[in-house]
Amino acid sequence: MNRFEYIRAESVTEAATEMARPGSVLLAAGTNLLDLMKVDVLRPKRLIDITHLPDLDRIETMEDGSVRIGAMVRNSDLAFDETFAAAFPAVAEALLSGASPQLRNAATVGGNLLQRTRCRYFYDTASACNKRAPGAGCDAIDGENRGHAILGWSTHCIATHPSDFCVALAAFDATVEIESANDWRCVPLADFHRLPGDDPGNETVLAPGELIVAVRLPAKSAAFAGHARYLKVRERTSYAFALVSAAAGLDFADDGTIRAARIALGGVAPKPWRAEAAEAMLVGGVASPELFAEAGRSALADAEPSGDNAYKIELTQRVVARVLANAAAGTPDTMPALPASPFAPVSGGPVHA
Ligand code: SF4
């Protein structure tokens, strides 16, 4: 590991000021950062430790009914916050579908948004990777790519975003609070991550000197609480990143028709992928396997294999149809489920893998 400077920030302003210096990276739980440093993918000049900053570890209900989650809130603490899980059950379910209990106890909300792809070529410094070394090429394109993207990829990078949490946040209209030494701004989570284009190393809208201080979920998204689920398909249920995942929420009118729908996809694109066309075609419909299958096809209308991964298109269509059926059956009484299983019956009951 390279030598680096360590700075324990005493305020957000100090952390932001340090982050404006080239070569600075934030240290929160470090669950992804330290791995990247150990394999020499990241060689920061200084680590800015924000674990002791006050007020970033709170979950607050604001006057407008939105929930504000500090960037240092641990994944497990958020998932098991009863008020939060009742209002946003699919978000809690997504949190508990990610990583292992030990990692969830450490990993933070802000760090989850900023985690890097798990493309194996990105972690192997002997491989060509445009994300790690701009202009070097991409060994994934002609390599092992069955887990790579089918939406939003470019000829410069076909990697996927690994988060479960961000998928549910995108579905339910979360926003990200960003602070610098002199400014504050709020961006939709759906716009926070960038597509790779010809610059795959530039992954988010964060500018030098900016850091995430909180994530917000709007009060209106709690309208989906009765019919909201997350579903993840992976190669090992115990612990693996998603091959494909989906978050869904349905809001029903009194006559039983669908008044509003939310769908976002994970494991298929370089960012959490909101499926707005599929949401729109559900509105006014009556829940049925046929309607949900049509929504699945709509959500994948623009999908293209980036390699040996054409199977992901039909798999994702099926996952969308399934998560919508799960959502229509109703959010289980006991939430969050541990963890979501694609093999469980569509019963609305607790799901245990
Ligand atoms: Fe690097 Fe992206 Fe290619 Fe993976 S897919 S090797 S992260 S450029």
Side-chain angles (χ1 to χ4, degrees), residues 65-69 84 88 91 165 168-169 172-175 215-221:
S66 65
V67 175
R68 183 179 189 273
I69 309 150
F84 176 81
F88 306 105
V91 182
F165 178 46
L169 290 179
F172 296 103
D173 299 308
T175 55
V215 169
R216 281 198 194 214
L217 278 156
K220 65 181 170 63
S221 292

Side-chain angles (χ1 to χ4, degrees), residues 45-88:
K45 288 183 181 163
R46 70 196 64 79
L47 299 189
I48 315 305
D49 182 350
I50 57 168
T51 56
H52 296 80
L53 293 188
D55 305 332
L56 294 189
D57 59 353
R58 291 199 203 144
I59 305 166
E60 301 168 276
T61 301
M62 311 305 284
E63 276 184 16
D64 64 0
S66 65
V67 175
R68 183 179 189 273
I69 309 150
M72 284 300 303
V73 171
R74 309 287 168 170
N75 286 191
S76 293
D77 289 340
L78 182 58
F80 289 109
D81 183 286
E82 288 185 10
T83 305
F84 176 81
F88 306 105

Side-chain angles (χ1 to χ4, degrees), residues 32-345:
N32 189 201
L33 171 66
L34 297 185
D35 283 347
L36 289 164
M37 291 173 68
K38 286 175 188 170
V39 296
D40 220 18
V41 169
L42 284 186
R43 308 181 87 194
K45 288 183 181 163
R46 70 196 64 79
L47 299 189
I48 315 305
D49 182 350
I50 57 168
T51 56
H52 296 80
L53 293 188
D55 305 332
L56 294 189
D57 59 353
R58 291 199 203 144
I59 305 166
E60 301 168 276
T61 301
M62 311 305 284
E63 276 184 16
D64 64 0
S66 65
V67 175
R68 183 179 189 273
I69 309 150
M72 284 300 303
V73 171
R74 309 287 168 170
N75 286 191
S76 293
D77 289 340
L78 182 58
F80 289 109
D81 183 286
E82 288 185 10
T83 305
F84 176 81
F88 306 105
V91 182
E93 193 171 19
L95 279 164
L96 292 181
S97 300
S100 64
Q102 292 90 340
L103 284 167
R104 292 193 295 266
N105 287 342
T108 63
V109 162
N112 198 307
L113 270 61
L114 294 175
Q115 65 178 302
R116 312 296 298 273
T117 183
R118 266 45 177 205
C119 171
R120 66 180 60 182
Y121 302 101
F122 176 66
Y123 286 76
D124 174 14
T125 55
S127 298
C129 173
N130 287 322
K131 190 185 282 293
R132 176 167 32 75
C138 171
D139 275 352
I141 287 174
D142 292 318
E144 166 50 58
N145 52 29
R146 63 186 296 280
H148 283 67
I150 52 173
L151 288 161
W153 54 274
S154 77
T155 55
H156 298 270
C157 180
I158 60 173
T160 59
H161 194 270
S163 175
D164 296 293
F165 178 46
C166 291
V167 177
L169 290 179
F172 296 103
D173 299 308
T175 55
V176 185
E177 289 185 30
I178 297 169
E179 222 171 292
S180 64
N182 307 308
D183 207 359
W184 179 96
R185 65 187 176 119
C186 196
V187 299
L189 186 283
D191 298 334
F192 178 77
H193 298 97
R194 296 180 189 272
L195 293 179
D198 61 2
D199 185 14
N202 191 7
E203 295 176 346
T204 73
V205 299
L206 283 180
E210 288 188 322
L211 62 149
I212 298 168
V213 291
V215 169
R216 281 198 194 214
L217 278 156
K220 65 181 170 63
S221 292
F224 297 95
H227 297 275
R229 297 303 303 270
Y230 183 75
L231 186 62
K232 174 176 180 176
V233 175
R234 49 189 152 176
E235 291 184 330
R236 289 170 298 155
T237 301
S238 59
Y239 176 40
F241 292 93
L243 283 176
V244 169
S245 70
L250 295 169
D251 181 25
F252 290 95
D254 291 342
D255 65 0
T257 58
I258 296 170
R259 181 161 46 203
R262 295 287 184 273
I263 304 169
L265 311 177
V268 293
K271 59 185 280 184
W273 197 263
R274 183 81 177 259
E276 287 175 330
E279 294 172 2
M281 56 90 37
L282 286 169
V283 173
V286 176
S288 70
E290 294 75 22
L291 181 67
F292 294 156
E294 193 181 340
R297 289 190 290 273
S298 173
L300 277 295
D302 296 329
E304 282 183 62
S306 60
D308 187 23
N309 56 4
Y311 77 96
K312 278 184 135 184
I313 297 175
E314 184 177 350
L315 177 60
T316 312
Q317 290 171 344
R318 289 171 178 263
V319 166
V320 169
R322 182 61 174 234
V323 77
L324 285 167
N326 288 356
T331 306
D333 293 336
T334 305
M335 285 293 286
L338 285 172
S341 168
F343 306 111

